[in-house]
Amino acid sequence: MKIAVSSDSATLKSNVDPRFGRCPYYIIYDTESDDFKSVENKSGQAAGGAGIQAAQMISDMNIKSVITGNIGPNAFRVLSAASIEVYSGATGSVKDAVEKFKKGEYKQTAGPDVGSHFGMGRR
Amino acid sequence: MIISVASGKGGTGKTTVAVNLALSLNNVQLLDCDVEEPNSHIFIKPLFKRRDPVFVPVPVVDQKKCDGCGRCKEVCAYNAIAITSKKVLIFPELCHGCGSCTYFCPNDALREENEEIGVVEIGRKDRIEFIHGKLNIGKMTAPPVIRAVKKHTSREKTTIIDVPPGTSCPVITAIKDTDFVILVTEPTPFGLNDLSLAVKVVRKLGILFGVVINRSGLGNKETDKYCQREDIPILMRIPFSKKIAEIYSRGGSIVKSLPEYKEKFQILFKEIEKIVSGSNKAGSN
């Protein structure tokens, strides 16, 4: 099963980025083969709708679950429509987050946990 | 002539300059385009006679006709559409109402519905025609409301536009097609940083501009040096004065409380007229 982790750089040692829509990278991790690759978040700097675009990209990659720090309402709506499970509240390294996920230590997020524009670093 | 009053940094005195300039001129209209937080009316105290709602066309999808081809998402410049499992998701709060999705849909599956996003109020106070826009709470797209305010621009009058702060879309919408931009700044590092950003925007749009330094005497000399280096005219200085701050906080105007300022604002206007007509002559040669 493929999962996506919001990440502050392109390796497994990177930290989980607290922002789903505006993180610079996603680590796409295959929980069966333990292979991974990094994908740049091209819409991370979008003026508006970054979360929507990011969720669109994730949903186009046949991913089953997303691990992140926080998720906003628009991104959550797109991921839900694509039946992608969201696990928010993750911190620490991407590697640790993946391990915790595999052990079932995260609880699925039922709704957005921050408002729009959380990832824009103001207000 | 249309003069817009912008700043970059918020709270430098755009409204102070716009209001007092308008109060110093004849045959004038004041357009408050800071539709997210209009406040010129507090100082002008106009009587509003008309109230026009502002609508943007927002797409609605007919799921029966939609085959999930994704063309609408591709053409949306505002990230307002997503497609998952061949289903279209529309985010109306991000929609600018450009109409591209409806126009390009190959299956005729999208239609537009008008959504009210704000209001334009039109009124008057003595010699001043006053118009402002108000963006509804929770709406994100100021430009359609700003455009609706600017539709009331009269070429027979001198138009003063109070511009929102910043350097993004609402600012560009407000200063576009104006003859001159007054950039109001304060001589502080924050003021200078945002002034230099605003200068880049105005230069890119190719509009004539000059600087008014408010709270002059505060801060440092860097703003003066910057203007000199960049060859930007400093058109006026308003001193950092407790008296002016008091007038402002009571909702008063400088030119009514301190009449000697009326002439100063008229001189500011004449300076701008000179620059604009000079450039028109240069352009026709």
Side-chain angles (χ1 to χ4, degrees):
Chain A
M1 177 175 86
K2 279 204 289 184
I3 62 173
V5 187
S6 65
S7 171
D8 65 4
S9 61
T11 71
L12 277 184
K13 285 183 190 155
S14 326
N15 284 318
V16 175
D17 196 293
R19 306 158 302 169
F20 171 74
R22 292 191 181 273
C23 65
Y25 290 94
Y26 298 96
I27 304 294
I28 312 298
Y29 194 96
D30 188 321
T31 54
E32 277 125 42
S33 65
D34 287 324
D35 288 337
F36 80 96
K37 61 171 182 173
S38 69
V39 179
E40 198 188 335
N41 178 13
K42 291 208 174 70
S43 50
Q45 298 296 319
I52 295 168
Q53 281 301 302
Q56 173 82 65
M57 181 179 82
I58 297 293
S59 74
D60 290 343
M61 289 192 292
N62 192 30
I63 282 161
K64 292 283 175 271
S65 303
V66 161
I67 300 173
T68 186
N70 299 276
I71 187 134
N74 291 344
F76 193 84
R77 192 178 146 206
V78 175
L79 294 175
S80 302
S83 308
I84 296 170
E85 296 174 350
V86 178
Y87 299 84
S88 62
T91 54
S93 76
V94 171
K95 195 169 186 300
D96 290 348
V98 169
E99 288 310 317
K100 278 188 187 169
F101 174 79
K102 283 192 190 166
K103 287 184 204 151
E105 288 181 22
Y106 288 124
K107 253 172 69 185
Q108 196 183 334
T109 308
D113 51 21
V114 287
S116 292
H117 306 149
F118 167 81
M120 293 175 82
R122 49 187 159 122
R123 289 187 196 192
Chain B
M1 183 160 66
I2 310 169
I3 301 171
S4 48
V5 186
S7 71
K9 183 182 176 301
T12 56
K14 285 180 298 298
T15 299
T16 300
V17 170
V19 163
N20 285 286
L21 185 57
L23 286 168
S24 306
L25 304 175
N26 291 316
N27 191 27
V28 64
Q29 55 174 193
L30 176 59
L31 272 49
D32 191 350
C33 284
D34 189 2
V35 302
E36 285 173 86
E37 43 217 342
N39 66 342
S40 293
H41 63 283
I42 296 171
F43 304 94
I44 298 290
K45 302 174 182 71
L47 190 68
F48 289 111
K49 292 170 293 185
R50 230 174 89 194
R51 199 170 183 279
D52 299 338
V54 180
F55 298 99
V56 288
V58 168
V60 179
V61 63
D62 181 345
Q63 300 290 1
K64 273 180 249 148
K65 289 188 188 166
C66 175
D67 65 1
C69 74
R71 186 75 180 125
C72 52
K73 184 202 80 178
E74 283 165 29
V75 298
C76 179
Y78 305 101
N79 296 337
I81 300 178
I83 307 230
T84 59
S85 324
K86 299 234 156 203
K87 233 187 115 195
V88 174
L89 294 176
I90 294 166
F91 294 84
E93 67 276 19
L94 288 168
C95 174
H96 282 231
C98 72
S100 300
C101 55
T102 314
Y103 181 82
F104 285 103
C105 175
N107 300 312
D108 204 16
L110 291 167
R111 68 191 151 79
E112 292 178 336
E113 274 182 10
N114 273 336
E115 187 174 84
E116 189 183 324
I117 61 157
V119 68
V120 173
E121 292 179 321
I122 302 135
R124 167 167 288 283
K125 172 75 179 192
D126 304 330
R127 288 166 307 166
I128 298 178
E129 184 186 17
F130 184 86
I131 298 133
H132 72 180
K134 292 200 274 191
L135 182 68
N136 287 351
I137 290 168
K139 298 294 176 212
M140 285 169 64
T141 47
V145 182
I146 295 171
R147 281 193 289 271
V149 174
K150 286 182 78 178
K151 271 197 189 132
H152 294 273
T153 305
S154 161
R155 274 288 172 185
E156 268 91 65
K157 292 185 165 114
T158 299
T159 307
I160 312 291
I161 295 181
D162 193 359
V163 176
T167 47
S168 62
C169 293
V171 173
I172 289 159
T173 309
I175 67 177
K176 222 172 122 184
D177 301 322
T178 65
D179 300 306
F180 193 88
V181 183
I182 298 175
L183 291 174
V184 184
T185 190
E186 56 178 36
T188 63
F190 287 129
L192 178 56
N193 178 70
D194 290 6
L195 172 68
S196 67
L197 296 175
V199 164
K200 283 185 193 162
V201 171
V202 180
R203 281 194 172 141
K204 188 125 197 165
L205 292 174
I207 309 173
L208 296 167
F209 68 99
V211 162
V212 168
I213 298 183
N214 190 19
R215 300 192 195 101
S216 182
L218 182 76
N220 58 35
K221 290 269 163 225
E222 292 305 313
T223 304
D224 275 87
K225 286 187 203 158
Y226 166 81
C227 290
Q228 206 167 27
R229 210 166 52 232
E230 294 285 324
D231 202 17
I232 298 166
I234 296 175
L235 304 166
M236 186 183 184
R237 290 172 203 271
I238 303 169
F240 183 49
S241 118
K242 192 174 174 185
K243 181 91 192 127
I244 290 175
E246 278 174 9
I247 294 165
Y248 176 87
S249 27
R250 291 200 184 96
S253 61
I254 305 176
V255 294
K256 277 186 187 157
S257 307
L258 304 169
E260 69 271 24
Y261 271 89
K262 193 165 179 174
E263 203 191 331
K264 294 184 182 181
F265 278 100
Q266 285 166 346
I267 292 170
L268 169 66
F269 179 71
K270 288 209 178 91
E271 277 298 308
I272 293 170
E273 251 185 342
K274 229 190 281 171
I275 297 172
V276 171
S277 70
S279 130
N280 284 347
K281 270 179 215 148
S284 61
N285 282 344

